[in-house]
Amino acid sequence: MVGHLVEALTLLADPALIAVIVMAALFGLFVGAIPGLTATMAVALLVPVTFFMAPLPAVAAMVTVTATAIFAGDVPGALLRMPGTPASAAYCDEAFELTRRGEAEVALGTSVVFSAIGGAFGTIVLMVAAPALAEAALLFSSFEYFWLVMLGLTCAVFVAPGNPLKGLVSLMLGLLIASVGFENPAAYPRFTFGVPELMSGVQLIPVMIGMFAVSEVLRFATTVDRPLETAVQQKIGPIFRGQWRLARQYPVQAARGGVLGTLIGALPGAGADIAAWIAYGIAKRFSRTPGKFGTGHVEGIVEAGAANNSALAGAWIPALVFGIPGDSITAIVIGVLYLKGLNPGPTIFIENPGSIYAVFLVFLLANLLLLPLGWLLIKAARNVLRVPRALLMPIILVFCMVGSFAINNAMFDVGVMLAFGVIGWLMERNGFPIAPTILGLVLGAMLEQNFVTSMIKAGGNPLAFFERPVSAVLGAATILIWTSPLLRMAWRRARPS
Amino acid sequence: MQVSDKLSGLLAAAFGIVVVLAARAFPATPGQEIGPGLFPSITGALLVVFGVGLFVGARRKREAGWWALDDWVGRRDARRSVAVVVVALVAWIALVTPVGFIPTTILFVIVLARAMGGRITAALPIAVVVTLVTHYAFSTLLRVPLPWGILQGVAW
């Protein structure tokens, strides 16, 4: 590992790479700070540009953008009571209460410091856990992969808040979109309707840009006549003052947030936003002063702020080791990794250890950069938040269109982007989560490949799916999650009140 | 638009049935039990199950109404800007190849910025700068063949 780290350090000592990282950090801070523009959208908009970069800078840019955008989402949360990204929603009110009491610097300082701590913590877990898991994963056959994908998709549906049936419908939609084209085990062109562009399937990137960026522009368009909130006009004091005292006061909260965030991030489909909600809830539950929550108490910001940044790194664990994304951001990253010839999977740690460790170091670097750049953003916050949306939204759409076009130089893909922008907007409006669709689209081919291979190997014997020990455990876990709502219902019936 | 769970459940189930019927028509792979239709058939069948589940659950909760319009439909500025986003995107797709990336995109940004309440004095310079910078980055630096259209003669 030390040898790989040295190799990674030499890869990192490239001024061009550092320049890419700093620029990506500024872009991430800007997008994250604008309410309505999410970290996922920042990554989706970045994809067309990374398309033309070498693998390492491309991945480094995406890592940096996510880390900085998730923190930047806290800034409008504290100043406008509007979360910049969904991951900041959990403690937005709390931060705003602090600002109202004239303690904006405490809210923002806590956000930036504990985001960096959480992010660094998650990265260290990633560095230790991923290579170890990869070694075990080398022994996996199609049965294990089939169940792993099933477990991932299952988590994506059942972890998300809301009606699981809607998550399931959303997932099936993604799987069906994935089955378009002739890239399936039988090489038969399915659902192409004679359209030549559909022969190679529906392109992932235009779908993502549509569902995560165009849908946000449409949502903004419905509120165009609402006045922009103006930031609280008060002086923000030195943000790092008193942070050391907070770290000494709440070490358990910071550590718990980091662990929780990494674990939830590693679950497919659940990312930084869910991690923050759960961490905030747990901080309140175990707090010595739960009554203070919601009145401008930093304890929840410490834990949830650490959790949402550590979730980002956690999401990379299944993404790198198995090619199963831990959240919608890593779903995009996996697409880019394939394009770059860095095929995710256990062998990546054998074939490209230098690059992978370099990516880990970029994670650490991005979280360290958060401290100075976060300070800069907070100083400039009032101006960033005043950028007129009426001019910003058309520019975002131009990037979306050019980005979708550039993937294959096909105007058809811009149409795909528009169609999925409208679909994503309608789905979100009606409580259908988007993440399962994206996960289904990313994992559909892998699921079908491993399913068909396993079925052929099994020769029609369904028990073969449970014969190997690891696949039996994974299969049992998956089935247990499916049946848990039924079991709970049966339990309630069996226990007469 | 707000679609009731009853209606979205029925739509999902109907879509699932169509998928299963279409997938059943796929030819079998010779010498192989599992053809290209199996996976979409399972997915489609599950879609029917979950759609019906959604419908039944909504019925049991006595969900009122089938669908309703959102409040923004009643507000003129919001309605117009949603329409402009969709129409401008369709128009851009249709016009960008014959007319060219630069004029179409400048027009696109101005129209959208105006519809969303931006001032023309700000929209015009921003449209020109954004279009030229994007064009330089993607066409010149990244070699994406953005269409020249009517400017073909003066292409740089």
Side-chain angles (χ1 to χ4, degrees):
Chain A
M1 182 164 155
V2 176
H4 297 322
L5 276 176
V6 173
E7 189 191 343
L9 272 175
T10 55
L11 284 174
L12 216 60
D14 173 5
L17 180 64
I18 302 293
V20 165
I21 291 175
V22 172
M23 268 156 56
L26 293 175
F27 175 67
L29 285 174
F30 178 75
V31 174
I34 305 271
L37 310 188
T38 63
T40 317
M41 178 177 180
V43 179
L45 290 177
L46 200 63
V47 170
V49 181
T50 60
F51 220 61
F52 301 93
M53 293 182 182
L56 185 57
V59 178
M62 291 193 294
V63 165
T64 314
V65 160
T66 49
T68 50
I70 292 289
F71 153 69
D74 296 351
V75 175
L79 297 180
L80 296 179
R81 204 185 190 176
M82 276 173 93
T85 70
S88 309
Y91 48 88
C92 175
D93 286 349
E94 194 87 69
F96 189 70
E97 284 303 320
L98 275 166
T99 305
R100 252 214 309 237
R101 281 203 330 229
E103 296 176 42
E105 63 273 8
V106 177
L108 292 167
T110 309
S111 289
V112 76
V113 169
F114 288 91
S115 287
I117 291 177
F121 179 87
T123 311
I124 291 166
V125 175
L126 169 68
M127 284 170 90
V128 175
L133 261 180
E135 233 155 88
L138 278 174
L139 304 171
F140 283 12
S141 69
S142 65
F143 294 111
E144 281 84 10
Y145 270 103
F146 169 75
W147 283 118
L148 214 52
V149 175
M150 287 295 275
L151 190 61
L153 295 175
T154 307
C155 288
V157 168
F158 286 96
V159 172
N163 187 345
L165 276 172
K166 290 191 170 182
L168 286 166
V169 168
S170 166
L171 172 62
M172 294 304 132
L173 191 66
L175 291 175
L176 285 174
I177 301 166
S179 61
V180 172
F182 72 89
E183 277 164 19
N184 53 69
Y188 174 78
R190 301 186 294 206
F191 309 120
T192 55
F193 308 102
V195 179
E197 282 92 344
L198 284 177
M199 283 298 276
S200 54
V202 178
Q203 295 298 315
L204 175 66
I205 301 297
V207 174
M208 297 261 201
I209 294 178
M211 288 188 128
F212 289 117
V214 177
S215 64
E216 294 294 343
V217 176
L218 280 167
R219 200 164 313 138
F220 168 77
T222 64
T223 61
V224 74
D225 45 358
R226 299 281 155 86
L228 258 186
E229 321 261 325
T230 42
V232 176
Q233 293 297 327
Q234 61 164 258
K235 220 173 128 38
I236 300 170
I239 56 165
F240 294 118
R241 183 179 292 165
Q243 290 305 321
W244 180 244
R245 195 179 48 78
L246 278 182
R248 294 242 310 260
Q249 195 178 353
Y250 298 120
V252 178
Q253 282 76 356
R256 201 167 49 199
V259 173
L260 200 75
T262 315
L263 285 177
I264 294 172
L267 280 183
D273 45 346
I274 294 171
W277 281 109
I278 295 180
Y280 185 80
I282 285 189
K284 187 173 177 182
R285 175 85 180 64
F286 289 99
S287 170
R288 249 178 267 148
T289 53
K292 280 192 187 170
F293 275 67
T295 62
H297 187 51
V298 284
E299 193 177 349
I301 304 179
V302 167
E303 182 150 354
N308 60 16
N309 269 65
S310 62
L312 294 176
W316 281 66
I317 297 174
L320 282 177
V321 177
F322 306 115
I324 296 175
D327 60 7
S328 39
I329 295 171
T330 39
I332 307 178
V333 171
I334 286 179
V336 173
L337 287 175
Y338 273 113
L339 290 174
K340 294 289 172 198
L342 283 172
N343 293 6
T347 51
I348 198 173
F349 293 91
I350 297 166
E351 287 160 6
N352 276 309
S355 313
I356 291 305
Y357 279 94
V359 169
F360 294 162
L361 291 182
V362 170
F363 252 114
L364 281 180
L365 189 64
N367 281 299
L368 286 179
L369 265 178
L370 256 189
L371 297 174
L373 291 179
W375 177 81
L376 211 70
L377 172 72
I378 291 167
K379 289 282 153 202
R382 233 167 261 142
N383 294 319
V384 170
L385 293 175
R386 251 199 318 232
V387 170
R389 297 310 137 71
L391 300 174
L392 194 58
M393 293 295 166
I395 298 173
I396 288 172
L397 276 182
V398 170
F399 290 155
C400 293
M401 298 177 317
V402 177
S404 301
F405 174 78
I407 301 298
N408 276 335
N409 298 336
M411 213 47 80
F412 182 81
D413 285 341
V414 185
V416 168
M417 172 203 88
L418 171 59
F420 279 94
V422 175
I423 291 173
W425 176 50
L426 288 175
M427 280 172 67
E428 193 97 89
R429 175 71 190 88
N430 290 294
F432 287 87
I434 288 176
T437 304
I438 295 296
L439 238 56
L441 177 55
V442 174
L443 294 176
M446 188 172 168
L447 180 65
E448 178 170 18
Q449 183 70 46
N450 286 302
F451 173 65
V452 171
T453 313
S454 299
M455 285 293 277
I456 292 169
K457 275 197 240 169
N461 172 18
L463 283 179
F465 280 83
F466 299 95
E467 266 166 13
R468 295 166 55 101
V470 177
S471 71
V473 171
L474 292 172
T478 311
I479 291 170
L480 200 67
I481 298 176
W482 286 344
T483 47
S484 64
L486 295 176
L487 290 178
R488 219 177 306 151
M489 231 193 302
W491 170 251
R492 248 181 245 146
R493 290 240 171 105
R495 199 182 47 173
S497 44
Chain B
M1 189 168 71
Q2 213 170 349
V3 182
S4 69
D5 290 357
K6 273 187 297 191
L7 185 56
S8 54
L10 281 184
L11 287 175
F15 182 55
I17 292 172
V18 174
V19 168
V20 172
L21 290 180
R24 281 172 58 106
F26 293 163
T29 313
Q32 193 60 262
E33 264 176 67
I34 299 163
L38 180 66
F39 188 76
S41 300
I42 296 174
T43 318
L46 286 173
L47 196 53
V48 176
V49 172
F50 301 141
V52 169
L54 203 53
F55 175 77
V56 171
R59 282 276 308 246
R60 198 171 294 159
K61 270 188 231 144
R62 304 192 186 282
E63 191 187 37
W66 288 91
W67 59 286
L69 288 175
D70 288 337
D71 63 328
W72 60 266
V73 180
R75 304 199 315 267
R76 197 174 53 95
D77 288 351
R79 193 171 55 219
R80 190 185 55 196
S81 79
V82 171
V84 168
V85 170
V86 176
V87 172
L89 268 166
V90 173
W92 187 88
I93 295 171
L95 294 178
V96 73
T97 308
V99 179
F101 176 78
I102 293 174
T104 317
T105 308
I106 290 176
L107 205 66
F108 176 86
V109 174
I110 295 175
V111 167
L112 261 155
R114 290 289 298 139
M116 290 179 170
R119 271 194 298 270
I120 185 77
T121 46
L124 181 69
I126 284 193
V128 173
V129 170
V130 165
T131 303
L132 291 180
V133 168
T134 315
H135 186 267
Y136 176 75
F138 279 86
S139 183
T140 310
L141 294 182
L142 304 175
R143 312 212 169 277
V144 174
L146 296 175
W148 281 99
I150 52 171
L151 294 177
Q152 190 66 55
V154 293
W156 58 82

